[in-house]
Amino acid sequence: MRDLSPLDKKPLEGLRVIDLTRVLSGPFCTMMLGDMGAEVIKVETERGDATREQGTLRDGFSWYYASFNRNKKSIVLDLRCEEGRSVLAKLIASADVLVDNFRPGVLAQMGFDKERLREINPRLVTANVNGFGSCGPYVDRPAFDFIAQAMSGLMSVNGYDQGEPLRSAQPITDLVAGLYLAFGITAALRARDINGHGQHVEAVMVNGAISMMAYLASEYFVTGKLPERTGNDHPLVAPYGLFRASDGEIAIAPSNDVILRRFLSAIGIEHLMDDPCYDTNEKRFARRSELHELIDTRIASGTQESWIARLNTAGVPCGRVQALDEVFADPQVLAQEMTIDVEHPGHGLVRMLGFPLKLHGTPCQIRLPAPELGEHTDEVLASVGLTTDEISALKERRVAGAVPMNCGPVNPSAVIAGPVSVQDR
Amino acid sequence: MRDLSPLDKKPLEGLRVIDLTRVLSGPFCTMMLGDMGAEVIKVETERGDATREQGTLRDGFSWYYASFNRNKKSIVLDLRCEEGRSVLAKLIASADVLVDNFRPGVLAQMGFDKERLREINPRLVTANVNGFGSCGPYVDRPAFDFIAQAMSGLMSVNGYDQGEPLRSAQPITDLVAGLYLAFGITAALRARDINGHGQHVEAVMVNGAISMMAYLASEYFVTGKLPERTGNDHPLVAPYGLFRASDGEIAIAPSNDVILRRFLSAIGIEHLMDDPCYDTNEKRFARRSELHELIDTRIASGTQESWIARLNTAGVPCGRVQALDEVFADPQVLAQEMTIDVEHPGHGLVRMLGFPLKLHGTPCQIRLPAPELGEHTDEVLASVGLTTDEISALKERRVAGAVPMNCGPVNPSAVIAGPVSVQDR
């Protein structure tokens, strides 16, 4: 376990990924492959990934696009025509991984079924992220994060007792599926190292979302009882939740009896641990509102900052509920480099999220800012043997292209932020 | 891309993982490594992982534990004594990966700092999942899913406009960090294949949670404006959300103008697309409640099932908000084998979640049910060269052990379900 130096080869260095994905789940996956050193070639239509026009643009540039497409190259290729598809075949022949987030079967309809892909490149790892999976009755349904949240049970447990099921504001099913796919691709590459052959890897939004149900699922399986919606209260443990300091709320989660004793001791009511009304979790749970009131009375005597310092010293997990301005000013978040500013030639510095995963030997790095649409068309086509003349001819016929960004969205007022379908072609 | 057969070696087959993790984030990670073929050796205390006593037990067995510890072996080893730690050193020498979810630095305090680990096994990949990261002011703070949700900004966007910030009921920060770590370990193994050396990999709960903010973060960076809490409404797009059919709600997410036209056409109000009150997203958003009422009136005329069939045929992403009983009876979820029943000798069939990630050539499989506490102590210690006599001696001194499950929790009424700290030793 010598520390690898950043000069050492990154985990996916030297591998080429052909990336047919759009919007969110797929681009999140291929971004992580790029962060790990792969050469990611994003194949875009003449109009470009929809996210190039989403979110607030600055200097004609979408920070949403920028943040999910760093460490990628962009080529423009018209896959609706045979000529474009034959260029894609050349790219596939040169690649290690092919990723798409079309609905299952769409790639085959485009002429790239399993047999053809095997013929072109027997060592290829193919990967697809989709909504419902490639077998089963819903295989042709369009998917979307909100729908996957609804159907997976995620929403059924979020929210309040008397209220409606509630979505998570984060596009969690897209992102979790993208993360599963990055893991699956890396594992399949390792299987290829052993077996010599590529294989197909599939991450499914609803499946990934279901896997997040964790002990809520195992508890349902063993008891047959549906979990309830309990807001910020824990369904089975008390005390737990948000408590009111003199200047705002604190999240406190005393996770077992040892920590609970530390907590009650720190706020001066340790005697409750031996009070016959509160000496088991069952009793505390039954008297949750009285207990939370007792705690609130104590917590109200100090500020957030003073309690957070004291409770952390006592070993009690706690923290502020932070809005994004507080998150990105938090000294810990800064120390973890969870925001980075990337120079985008022509667009200045773009701020984006950093690398959540820390590989100490071969750390993730920005090697390339998110590309202009078609910025690497010439370079990439040359790499698979096309001559300058051939490339020019493809461009003239608009099969390939390098479209300057100022040919982008015509009507900036039509620009909307937020997710769009990962599935719809 | 020949289809690998299930007889082909799995991605992590032949690799040994020493697993010092407890409860959730770490065990979730190592479970995935086991699902991918690694030999995972879970090192437990004499009392066992806390989850052995959590959740509802059946026949003395926790389905929560079972579902996060499949495909693992269990040995009991007392790491508080020098003799136990010297056995651990032997295990580490025999391993490819060492995973813990102690707070950063705890493993070093136990005598296994970076230098010692390098000395024992230069090819070792070490991995740690923690709450806040191994550098920064909060490095020593205890962590917990709820706290990571609060501090990362996740809670700040969940819930309603007039209400409090709201947690996700799923232990999302534990699971996302565990998934990042499984990806990072697999990548580090591939880097080792190239470079010949192990390295340290770290997944951080708060970082992982922040990464789930996705375009909410990029939009904040570019505008400086904090995202609002909008319940089930989309913060920027209308129509979107839950609509009321005659027998219940449907989630509908028309994700762009093309799909929106299909949707409005399917419910007979396509003319709105050309109505000067509704012909842009901005106008629709400004009149969201009127628009949602118009849609509700239409949707109320049919059942959930009829609308879901019609809208899916029209290519509009939609679905039911399913509770867990509906999720696990859903024919698609069954087709995807998202529940599996595993025979646990002595405990009968245990139902658990299936494999969300599909590797078509080398599919994840159950090779081992979750282990009894210390079930594999003898086998594993023999594999690192300890003789039967040496093993017996260790057991006599209670340095190693094989504790029958009926020595488990004494007071079943004290058993609580739900997460406990991943951090606290």
Side-chain angles (χ1 to χ4, degrees):
Chain A
M1 207 190 65
R2 133 182 109 93
D3 269 332
L4 298 179
S5 97
L7 296 174
D8 275 301
K9 278 202 166 180
K10 297 195 186 305
L12 304 182
E13 199 167 329
L15 299 182
R16 174 173 275 193
V17 177
I18 306 299
D19 177 9
L20 305 180
T21 70
R22 297 84 31 84
V23 183
L24 190 48
S25 61
F28 180 56
C29 165
T30 56
M31 177 190 80
M32 289 184 277
L33 303 180
D35 290 352
M36 291 279 190
E39 181 196 32
V40 178
I41 297 171
K42 185 177 177 86
V43 179
E44 299 189 68
T45 63
E46 209 172 53
R47 193 180 166 93
D49 188 319
T51 59
R52 287 190 181 272
E53 304 182 14
Q54 289 178 340
T56 300
L57 307 194
R58 184 181 289 183
D59 300 331
F61 197 57
S62 162
W63 286 31
Y64 174 18
Y65 179 86
S67 68
F68 278 93
N69 292 285
R70 66 191 183 201
N71 286 332
K72 299 182 189 174
K73 298 176 178 175
S74 165
I75 73 168
V76 169
L77 201 56
D78 183 358
L79 300 178
R80 291 165 308 176
C81 71
E82 191 45 49
E83 218 178 348
R85 291 194 293 267
S86 95
V87 175
L88 179 61
K90 284 193 178 34
L91 291 172
I92 290 170
S94 77
D96 300 279
V97 181
L98 174 68
V99 193
D100 77 87
N101 59 350
F102 299 130
R103 287 187 223 178
V106 167
L107 198 63
Q109 285 162 30
M110 290 167 66
F112 296 94
D113 62 14
K114 206 163 69 172
E115 289 67 33
R116 171 105 191 276
L117 289 169
R118 182 188 301 155
E119 211 177 272
I120 298 174
N121 186 345
R123 284 178 56 81
L124 189 70
V125 169
T126 59
N128 172 243
V129 51
N130 62 60
F132 300 104
S134 61
C135 68
Y138 307 164
V139 63
D140 290 324
R141 289 194 183 182
F144 188 83
D145 173 70
F146 183 53
I147 309 306
Q149 288 202 32
M151 294 179 68
S152 62
L154 279 197
M155 286 177 62
S156 76
V157 292
N158 284 329
Y160 300 94
D161 192 14
Q162 304 301 326
E164 63 186 356
L166 185 67
R167 74 183 184 112
S168 292
Q170 302 80 27
I172 195 79
T173 75
D174 274 318
L175 298 172
V176 165
L179 186 44
Y180 269 117
L181 195 66
F183 169 44
I185 289 169
T186 308
L189 286 166
R190 198 162 191 285
R192 185 182 81 162
D193 293 339
I194 308 170
N195 297 312
H197 296 273
Q199 64 175 302
H200 184 61
V201 184
E202 191 188 350
V204 179
M205 289 163 64
V206 170
N207 295 359
I210 289 173
S211 79
M212 298 289 110
M213 299 304 293
Y215 51 79
L216 296 164
S218 57
E219 202 56 17
Y220 168 70
F221 290 142
V222 72
T223 65
K225 278 190 245 163
L226 292 175
E228 289 172 3
R229 289 191 284 278
T230 58
N232 280 321
D233 291 328
H234 195 282
L236 293 156
V237 176
Y240 172 108
L242 297 183
F243 298 91
R244 280 168 214 293
S246 61
D247 56 348
E249 286 169 324
I250 313 173
I252 306 176
S255 45
N256 58 41
D257 278 8
V258 174
I259 295 176
L260 179 59
R261 186 174 286 276
R262 290 182 202 156
F263 171 50
L264 296 181
S265 164
I267 63 173
I269 51 175
E270 190 185 357
H271 63 273
L272 288 188
M273 292 298 284
D274 308 306
D275 182 325
C277 291
Y278 295 106
D279 61 359
T280 69
N281 181 64
E282 271 184 331
K283 294 179 187 175
R284 290 190 293 269
F285 192 77
R287 292 190 170 83
R288 175 157 60 189
S289 57
E290 297 95 302
L291 178 59
H292 279 205
E293 250 174 63
L294 281 170
I295 294 169
D296 263 339
T297 309
R298 290 294 171 156
I299 297 287
S301 70
T303 61
Q304 288 177 311
E305 203 181 311
S306 71
W307 280 121
I308 287 170
R310 285 161 69 179
L311 294 178
N312 273 307
T313 305
V316 178
C318 68
R320 291 173 62 189
V321 182
Q322 302 196 111
L324 289 188
D325 52 347
E326 299 166 303
V327 171
F328 295 116
D330 186 317
Q332 183 66 28
V333 174
L334 297 174
Q336 288 290 309
E337 298 178 343
M338 280 307 292
T339 62
I340 47 180
D341 294 315
V342 179
E343 175 67 33
H344 280 68
H347 308 292
L349 284 179
V350 174
R351 177 159 290 186
M352 61 182 67
L353 293 177
F355 308 106
L357 185 60
K358 309 297 184 192
L359 273 74
H360 288 220
T362 57
C364 295
Q365 282 170 333
I366 300 288
R367 294 168 292 124
L368 291 170
E372 303 288 345
L373 182 58
E375 182 181 343
H376 304 89
T377 298
D378 289 42
E379 170 196 328
V380 169
L381 296 188
S383 81
V384 292
L386 274 70
T387 64
T388 314
D389 287 351
E390 286 169 331
I391 295 168
S392 298
L394 285 171
K395 281 181 176 171
E396 255 164 49
R397 290 195 293 280
R398 298 184 71 167
V399 172
V403 183
M405 271 308 283
N406 55 17
C407 298
V410 186
N411 173 10
S413 78
V415 163
I416 56 169
V420 302
S421 172
V422 298
Q423 285 274 296
D424 212 69
R425 251 188 100 193
Chain B
M1 206 190 66
R2 133 184 111 92
D3 269 333
L4 298 178
S5 97
L7 296 174
D8 274 300
K9 276 202 168 179
K10 296 194 186 306
L12 304 181
E13 199 166 328
L15 299 182
R16 174 173 276 194
V17 176
I18 306 300
D19 178 8
L20 304 180
T21 70
R22 297 86 30 84
V23 184
L24 190 48
S25 61
F28 180 57
C29 166
T30 56
M31 176 190 80
M32 289 183 278
L33 303 181
D35 291 351
M36 291 278 191
E39 181 197 33
V40 178
I41 297 170
K42 186 178 176 87
V43 179
E44 299 189 68
T45 64
E46 207 171 54
R47 193 179 167 92
D49 188 319
T51 60
R52 288 188 180 272
E53 304 181 14
Q54 289 179 339
T56 300
L57 307 194
R58 185 180 287 182
D59 300 330
F61 197 57
S62 162
W63 286 31
Y64 174 18
Y65 179 85
S67 67
F68 278 93
N69 292 284
R70 65 193 184 201
N71 287 331
K72 299 181 190 175
K73 297 175 178 175
S74 166
I75 73 169
V76 169
L77 200 57
D78 183 357
L79 300 178
R80 291 165 308 178
C81 70
E82 191 45 50
E83 218 178 346
R85 291 196 292 268
S86 95
V87 175
L88 179 60
K90 284 192 179 34
L91 291 173
I92 290 171
S94 76
D96 299 278
V97 181
L98 174 68
V99 192
D100 77 86
N101 59 352
F102 300 129
R103 287 187 224 177
V106 167
L107 198 63
Q109 285 162 30
M110 290 166 66
F112 296 94
D113 62 14
K114 206 162 67 170
E115 289 68 34
R116 171 104 190 276
L117 289 169
R118 182 187 301 155
E119 210 177 273
I120 298 174
N121 186 345
R123 284 178 55 81
L124 189 71
V125 169
T126 58
N128 172 243
V129 52
N130 62 60
F132 300 104
S134 61
C135 67
Y138 307 164
V139 63
D140 290 324
R141 288 194 183 182
F144 189 83
D145 173 69
F146 183 53
I147 309 307
Q149 288 202 31
M151 294 179 70
S152 62
L154 278 197
M155 285 177 62
S156 75
V157 292
N158 284 330
Y160 300 93
D161 192 14
Q162 303 300 328
E164 63 186 357
L166 185 67
R167 75 184 184 110
S168 291
Q170 301 80 27
I172 195 79
T173 74
D174 273 318
L175 298 173
V176 165
L179 186 45
Y180 269 117
L181 195 66
F183 170 45
I185 288 169
T186 308
L189 286 166
R190 197 159 193 286
R192 183 182 83 163
D193 293 339
I194 309 169
N195 297 311
H197 296 274
Q199 65 175 301
H200 184 61
V201 183
E202 191 189 349
V204 179
M205 289 162 65
V206 169
N207 295 359
I210 290 173
S211 78
M212 298 290 111
M213 298 304 293
Y215 51 78
L216 296 164
S218 56
E219 201 56 16
Y220 168 70
F221 290 142
V222 71
T223 65
K225 277 189 248 164
L226 292 175
E228 290 171 3
R229 290 191 284 278
T230 58
N232 280 321
D233 291 327
H234 194 282
L236 293 157
V237 176
Y240 172 109
L242 297 183
F243 298 92
R244 279 167 217 295
S246 61
D247 56 349
E249 286 169 325
I250 313 173
I252 305 177
S255 45
N256 58 41
D257 279 7
V258 174
I259 295 176
L260 179 58
R261 187 174 286 275
R262 290 180 201 156
F263 172 49
L264 296 182
S265 165
I267 63 173
I269 51 175
E270 190 184 359
H271 64 273
L272 288 188
M273 291 299 283
D274 307 307
D275 182 325
C277 290
Y278 295 105
D279 61 359
T280 69
N281 181 65
E282 269 183 334
K283 294 179 188 173
R284 292 189 293 269
F285 192 76
R287 291 190 169 83
R288 175 157 60 191
S289 57
E290 297 95 303
L291 179 59
H292 278 206
E293 251 173 62
L294 281 170
I295 294 169
D296 264 339
T297 309
R298 290 294 170 154
I299 297 288
S301 70
T303 61
Q304 288 178 311
E305 203 180 311
S306 69
W307 279 121
I308 287 170
R310 285 161 69 179
L311 295 178
N312 273 307
T313 304
V316 178
C318 68
R320 292 172 62 189
V321 183
Q322 302 196 112
L324 289 187
D325 52 348
E326 299 165 304
V327 171
F328 295 117
D330 186 317
Q332 183 66 29
V333 174
L334 297 174
Q336 288 290 309
E337 299 179 342
M338 282 305 293
T339 62
I340 47 181
D341 293 316
V342 179
E343 175 66 34
H344 280 68
H347 307 292
L349 285 179
V350 174
R351 177 159 292 186
M352 62 183 66
L353 293 177
F355 308 104
L357 185 61
K358 309 297 184 191
L359 273 73
H360 288 222
T362 57
C364 296
Q365 282 170 331
I366 300 288
R367 293 169 293 124
L368 291 170
E372 303 289 345
L373 182 59
E375 182 180 344
H376 304 90
T377 299
D378 289 42
E379 169 197 328
V380 169
L381 296 188
S383 80
V384 293
L386 273 70
T387 65
T388 313
D389 287 351
E390 285 169 332
I391 295 168
S392 299
L394 285 172
K395 282 182 175 170
E396 254 163 50
R397 289 195 297 278
R398 299 185 71 168
V399 173
V403 183
M405 271 309 283
N406 56 17
C407 299
V410 187
N411 173 11
S413 77
V415 164
I416 55 169
V420 302
S421 173
V422 299
Q423 285 275 295
D424 212 71
R425 252 187 96 194

